[in-house]
Amino acid sequence: LIELGHTQRANTHSGEPRSTEVLFFVDISPYEEDLPWMATAGRVVVIDHHRSCVPRMIRILLAMPSMLDLSEVESTHCATSLVAKHMHVTLSQKVDDLERKVALVRKNDVWGFQISEQWADQADWFGAAVLMGSRASRCSMGVVDMWLNDLDTCLAQGKAAYTRLCDRSAKLCDCIELVTERRELRVYALSVPCLLYTSDAADEEDSVDLGGRRIIKKKKKNICNNE
């Protein structure tokens, strides 16, 4: 199992696939630079849903006709739901409550997906769990393990995180002020506390705390809203 970002190349990892192995690219598509590396595998399967990868995949499929492309870009599927679609028989025997678990991931990955009303709140909680439990809002393997093995705990933590995020959002909205408007253009200012780290902290005397941080009580950031 290799975790890759959307711009990373699979061929940068050590070791070549063996002829008895099947390579699965899930939620990502390979690059043309990966073709020599993939050629040693017994089979290559791609399960992706990103429309931006279509032109590249057309070229790759021409170069490797044996590749099995199970991607869908014209639907509201995400990679998780596509895996569940094509491997439903096997997964339903191994994963409890599969439909709900897939729906929660699908809603957080593809906003246009219409999730069942009974799971709508849980989708928000799951999204908060991902946001608070991962870097750069990415779904870490730790969150995946909890989602698969202990969904109730995952949702309980997410519900608490969701409440905190809503409170913070409300406080942030209270800091937004209308500065000026002209016809259909409105300019807002956002006043938030800010700590600025500086290299000349030692020369700042009373405007620097013991941690070497220059303290600025309020920083205004203009936000343009063209309604």
Side-chain angles (χ1 to χ4, degrees):
L1 179 62
I2 301 173
E3 291 187 70
L4 293 175
H6 290 289
T7 60
Q8 290 179 297
R9 275 48 169 180
N11 66 351
T12 59
H13 292 270
S14 60
E16 291 185 346
R18 291 175 291 187
S19 59
T20 56
E21 294 178 329
V22 178
L23 292 179
F24 284 86
F25 286 80
V26 180
D27 202 32
I28 58 173
S29 293
Y31 283 82
E32 288 160 292
E33 297 96 311
D34 297 322
L35 281 168
W37 181 78
M38 296 187 297
T40 61
R43 192 71 184 271
V44 179
V45 182
V46 179
I47 304 176
D48 199 2
H49 68 108
H50 296 95
R51 188 186 302 271
S52 60
C53 297
V54 171
R56 185 171 80 238
M57 281 301 298
I58 291 175
R59 298 191 299 270
I60 290 176
L61 286 167
L62 289 173
M64 183 178 281
S66 63
M67 178 182 291
L68 179 59
D69 185 17
L70 299 178
S71 303
E72 292 186 24
V73 300
E74 300 296 339
S75 65
T76 58
H77 273 294
C78 67
T80 301
S81 60
L82 285 173
V83 170
K85 173 183 176 180
H86 293 289
M87 304 179 183
H88 185 268
V89 175
T90 300
L91 290 176
S92 60
Q93 297 173 354
K94 296 179 177 295
V95 181
D96 295 330
D97 205 3
L98 178 64
E99 183 180 0
R100 177 168 65 127
K101 289 177 178 178
V102 170
L104 297 181
V105 177
R106 188 174 178 180
K107 181 60 179 176
N108 276 272
D109 201 5
V110 182
W111 293 354
F113 168 62
Q114 297 298 316
I115 193 172
S116 172
E117 188 64 30
Q118 62 178 327
W119 298 332
D121 289 340
Q122 296 180 19
D124 290 335
W125 302 341
F126 177 73
V130 172
L131 184 64
M132 302 301 289
S134 309
R135 292 184 176 181
S137 303
R138 293 176 58 187
C139 194
S140 67
M141 293 306 298
V143 174
V144 170
D145 287 341
M146 185 180 295
W147 162 74
L148 282 174
N149 302 314
D150 193 356
L151 182 59
D152 290 339
T153 298
C154 180
L155 292 178
Q157 293 181 2
K159 184 177 181 179
Y162 182 76
T163 300
R164 294 195 300 271
L165 289 171
C166 288
D167 290 342
R168 293 175 186 176
S169 297
K171 292 178 182 178
L172 190 62
C173 289
D174 291 339
C175 297
I176 298 177
E177 305 170 3
L178 178 63
V179 176
T180 185
E181 58 181 314
R182 183 177 181 182
R183 297 180 181 176
E184 297 180 352
L185 178 65
R186 294 183 179 182
V187 179
Y188 293 88
L190 178 63
S191 299
V192 294
C194 175
L195 291 176
L196 178 63
Y197 287 80
T198 65
S199 60
D200 58 345
D203 298 327
E204 297 296 329
E205 297 180 351
D206 59 356
S207 63
V208 176
D209 71 359
L210 295 178
R213 296 173 291 185
R214 178 188 294 161
I215 300 175
I216 300 176
K217 292 184 178 180
K218 283 191 176 182
K219 176 182 178 181
K220 285 194 173 182
K221 179 179 180 181
N222 288 338
I223 304 174
C224 293
N225 181 19
N226 191 0
E227 297 181 337

